Amino acid sequence: MEKIQLMSHLVAGYPTDELAFTAAQAMVDGGADILEVQLPFSDPSADGPAIQGACTEVLSRRYRTEDGLAFIARLHQAFPQVLIYIMSYGSLIYTPGVAAFCKRAAQAGVKGMIIPDLPFDHDEGLTAACTANGMENIPVAAPSMAENRLDKLAHAGFAHIYAALRTGITGTSTTIDAATVSFLGKVSAGGSKVYGGFGIQDGNQAKALASSVEAIVAGSVFVRLIDKNKGDRDKLYEAVKSKALELTGR
């Protein structure tokens, strides 16, 4: 079976920078093609308890955006062959200035931005700033979008679109069914490649989804493994690597 492409999610600095780096190493060794690094945010709108708890713990150490970007730069230096995307929320990008933030992100090695609460057609200049700095803006599509709006997004010319496979928050399992495949077909109707995630937890889901997307996205499942094994670096590495191998079908 051909390897399934995987975008794996981790929270910068969780539970420490060193253990987060160990987790990233395990993801890459397990076959992850893209690292989606979340900059911790105090009031996430789409993240479930696992990711929200991780963000809260990191922020309690007064972890700042510049710390997250330094962590990302370290990842890029260690794994230059792996794409790194930032996932965060609009205020972190808007506050320092969208253009200034994108320049700093690109200098750290970031190749894409996933900012769920910045709509694709009112993005405060994010797409233009990404383009100017050799990155891409990856907008988010959800099944709750009106048909005409989803069609507009699909034909807006984005190289990639992140498809949230269901409404609500991350962390609970998602059933891959005919409705899911239909939704993904609508997202890709304009030629954009699709990343599909939200509730991907095991290899069976990954296999069911793989033919409909460019890459599967897995987040909460990794954050929970990191949390469970944060007291033992070796166990953390093995647990995360094993899950990545499962999701990529290796």
Side-chain angles (χ1 to χ4, degrees), residues 108-127:
V110 175
K111 290 299 183 184
M113 302 282 289
I114 302 170
I115 312 297
D117 59 344
L118 285 183
F120 72 96
D121 50 355
H122 293 87
D123 69 3
E124 304 293 346
L126 179 61
T127 299

Side-chain angles (χ1 to χ4, degrees), residues 233-248:
R233 181 174 180 170
D234 291 339
K235 286 185 177 179
L236 187 154
Y237 174 86
E238 291 301 331
V240 172
K241 181 182 176 182
S242 177
K243 180 56 68 173
L245 287 169
E246 176 191 345
L247 292 170
T248 57

